[in-house]
Amino acid sequence: MLHTLRKVFGFHEFRPNQESVVRSLLQQRDVLAIMPTGGGKSLCYQLPAVLLPGTCMVISPLIALMKDQVDGARSNGIRAAFLNSSQSPEERDEVMSDLLSGKLDLLYVAPERFILSHFREMLNRVQLSMAVIDEAHCISEWGHDFRPDYLSLSDLVSLFPGIPVAAFTATATHRVQQDILDKLALRNPLIVRASFDRPNLSYHIRFKESVEPQLISLLNSNPGKAGIIYRTSRKSVNDTAAMLQAKGFRALPYHAGLSDTERKKNQEAFIRDEVEVIVATIAFGMGIDKSNIRFVIHADLPKSIENYYQETGRAGRDGEPARCTLLFSQGDIPKMRFFIDAMPDEAERQRALAALSKVTAFASTSVCRRRTLLDYFGERYPHDNCNSCDICLGTREVVDVTLESQMVLSAIVRTEERFGATHIVDILTGSQNKKILDFGHDRLKTYGVGKGHDKKYWRRLIDELLAQQVIQKSEGLYPTLFLLSKASRVLRREERIDIVRMLEKKTEQLLTKAAEAPHTTELFELLRTLRKHIADEQQIPPYVVFSDRTLHDMAATLPRTAEAMLTVSGVGEVKLQRYGQQFLRLIGRFISD
Ligand code: ADP
Ligand code: ZN
């Protein structure tokens, strides 16, 4: 096992749970493994597929992904192929004939093929080593991604009683887990439920003030790195992508309103490292295997914690550090409420509301982000401090704004709760505009008391008071602000108002501290260019050639010989033979320069 791990995959140790799954399959025992994205599920079946005689059949719902998976396996010298509707009859015939003559370690097929009786008959003439079901939660109606085609997999065990069946998924509640076991009729399976924690992801929530400059500053702190920016609407996706392009970033949009061709083209450009940034609605991500996504930014509030976990989960599959930033403003909540209120189905509306209140709580509280995420999945985080979220890094501070809040409340009271936020801010900051003068509001006691802060500050405070349910906004075209019962307690100083503020400086310090030595970064960039060059020549995604982790490892350890190259994580014998010389030459030149 360890020998193959090293020789074929170039890895020196198993990730958590991989070993027990591999061992179980080698002993012909069924498996259900629930492991997070990036947990290394493919290796769990690819390794036994190499060791066991016969072909391992992998049923996978994502046709778009099959080619990448096959390319990935082949890049390690594994004999892999796929069968699906995207191929010509000739291509399919060739795969069939390889399959029948025992020339394949791995065969990927879509579930709809497994239903076909002639395909099943053909499988009877093939020596199968095991059957793997990827995205196994698709078999459950309780899951979020039910696919009726998957129900046909219930026949698997009875059709092929002599081989082990392994089911993999990244998301399964306990209910879905039981459903998978029942539907597939797994026989005394090994059940692995890995932790949902993604230790290489760091989570940061920032106050959303002005999206454009904030995005630009975030991109500038990740120069040249691949990342996804999620936005809610197609329009904001287009606008943000155009804005970034205008500022010189290589960014492309992705949403369901684009033509198939354009979506595909943009996705491909991102996967192949031709553009760094994809600005997308949540339509983007399913079936993206790209392992070197270094950041995910949510420029708008995600729909639910589950969405947030999945969307951020696309970062850092290779195990290298990746950053997840959510720009949060209380002001986003009414927009989401608007869509939810328009939902025709009452039950669906209630679910959406509950989900919204959970994400809002997640973003507003000062509890470790990681702990909150894991809590959501019913898992207890065993440490006090995760050291990689904005809360644990202490990049926020709590500020008492009771006095300022009283000024706002008093301005609202003195104008008899008849005005909106803009006017209240104008009063506080002592504006001389016509409306103020017409109403004689420049004679109010609160007029100009808030001059010490700018308008943005007061806007934000009003948002905060709305969020903390001290005040409320009326319905209608010209919403006015009015006080809730909590307000009188604040005015009497019986209750205090705190806001949480980001300490930008400290964040930046922490970021720079984590940065690498300059020469390593320089070499890493050169290695990356070479990787891109090779990938283009072979028409495969760059991360299939080598992962970011492998390149970092090379840049840090500077291998000079083939032997030393083999000790780099992710360099197996086939990759050494294919790419070793080119990378060794580049490193040699870099050192002697
Ligand atoms: P999943 O399908 O669970 O999301 P993958 O199978 O795509 O995860 O693996 C994620 C990344 O981790 C890949 O780049 C893979 O090469 C790498 N990987 C898998 N197992 C190991 C290991 N034992 N050591 C180092 N890297 C690994
Ligand atoms: Zn934390």
Side-chain angles (χ1 to χ4, degrees), residues 287 372 409 480 578:
T372 317
L409 298 177
T480 56
R578 282 192 197 154

Side-chain angles (χ1 to χ4, degrees), residues 11 13-15 18 36-43 291 317-318:
F11 299 141
E13 56 197 11
F14 281 111
R15 290 222 179 121
Q18 284 180 328
T37 306
K41 289 184 279 296
S42 335
L43 185 129
S291 73
R317 271 178 181 244
D318 51 12

Side-chain angles (χ1 to χ4, degrees), residues 80-362:
F82 62 84
L83 274 178
N84 67 35
S85 52
S86 74
Q87 290 161 305
S88 68
E90 293 75 36
E91 286 171 320
R92 279 203 291 268
D93 284 347
E94 202 184 315
V95 174
M96 301 273 207
S97 104
D98 281 350
L99 177 65
L100 287 166
S101 52
K103 284 191 199 143
L104 292 179
D105 301 314
L106 271 176
L107 174 73
Y108 288 85
V109 294
E112 53 270 26
R113 187 153 305 266
F114 185 74
I115 302 177
L116 306 173
S117 54
H118 70 85
F119 180 69
R120 290 182 176 193
E121 276 154 29
M122 192 209 52
L123 284 180
N124 278 320
R125 289 183 281 139
V126 176
Q127 187 189 5
L128 291 179
S129 59
M130 61 180 152
V132 168
I133 298 161
D134 206 6
E135 314 286 349
H137 61 277
C138 294
I139 202 172
S140 171
E141 276 133 295
W142 304 115
H144 53 84
D145 206 15
F146 173 59
R147 286 170 194 246
D149 279 344
Y150 257 60
L151 289 176
S152 73
L153 301 178
S154 300
D155 302 340
L156 204 56
V157 164
S158 53
L159 284 173
F160 304 99
I163 56 168
V165 173
F168 292 92
T169 172
T171 49
T173 58
H174 286 278
R175 189 181 197 183
V176 172
Q177 170 176 332
Q178 192 54 46
D179 211 17
I180 298 174
L181 292 172
D182 294 344
K183 292 238 165 67
L184 291 175
L186 297 185
R187 302 146 293 188
N188 177 32
L190 169 78
I191 299 175
V192 166
R193 242 190 117 85
S195 165
F196 275 81
D197 187 22
R198 300 282 313 275
N200 60 317
L201 301 189
S202 64
Y203 300 99
H204 302 266
I205 296 183
R206 292 192 175 194
F207 205 90
K208 176 165 158 185
E209 288 171 307
S210 179
V211 178
E212 295 196 356
Q214 282 182 296
L215 288 178
I216 290 171
S217 128
L218 283 167
L219 294 192
N220 282 335
S221 62
N222 288 288
K225 291 185 183 164
I228 310 174
I229 298 176
Y230 279 111
R231 304 229 54 176
T232 318
S233 72
R234 296 174 187 182
K235 183 178 179 315
S236 49
V237 165
N238 287 338
D239 292 351
T240 302
M243 180 277 292
L244 291 175
Q245 286 165 359
K247 299 274 178 195
F249 293 98
R250 296 194 297 172
L252 287 173
Y254 187 104
H255 56 71
L258 299 175
S259 71
D260 269 1
T261 342
E262 188 158 10
R263 273 211 310 270
K264 216 165 160 184
K265 204 179 76 203
N266 293 358
Q267 172 169 327
E268 195 71 1
F270 179 62
I271 286 174
R272 306 229 155 162
D273 289 355
E274 254 125 48
V275 297
E276 282 97 29
V277 183
I278 197 106
V279 188
T281 58
I282 55 172
F284 181 79
M286 190 51 169
I288 300 291
D289 231 358
K290 184 177 167 74
S291 73
N292 60 334
I293 296 175
R294 297 271 70 89
F295 64 88
V296 169
I297 300 171
H298 281 84
D300 303 303
L301 196 59
K303 278 200 184 118
S304 67
I305 301 243
E306 191 143 2
N307 274 73
Y308 179 72
Y309 181 81
Q310 280 201 5
E311 286 146 23
T312 52
R314 293 178 181 131
R317 271 178 181 244
D318 51 12
E320 290 285 282
R323 207 178 148 86
C324 310
T325 311
L326 165 62
L327 301 180
F328 174 61
S329 154
Q330 298 282 352
D332 278 355
I333 298 171
K335 280 182 237 159
M336 307 227 358
R337 285 290 304 251
F338 180 79
F339 286 109
I340 295 175
D341 287 344
M343 289 179 172
D345 184 81
E346 171 66 21
E348 197 188 339
R349 193 163 57 235
Q350 289 308 326
R351 267 200 302 276
L353 272 182
L356 176 64
S357 89
K358 283 215 165 110
V359 226
T360 315
F362 168 71

Side-chain angles (χ1 to χ4, degrees), residues 203 367-371 381 384-393:
Y203 300 99
V367 180
C368 167
R369 311 294 177 198
R370 191 176 306 276
R371 172 185 298 271
Y381 185 60
D384 286 337
N385 189 313
C386 81
N387 264 319
S388 60
C389 77
D390 54 335
I391 301 295
C392 293
L393 288 170

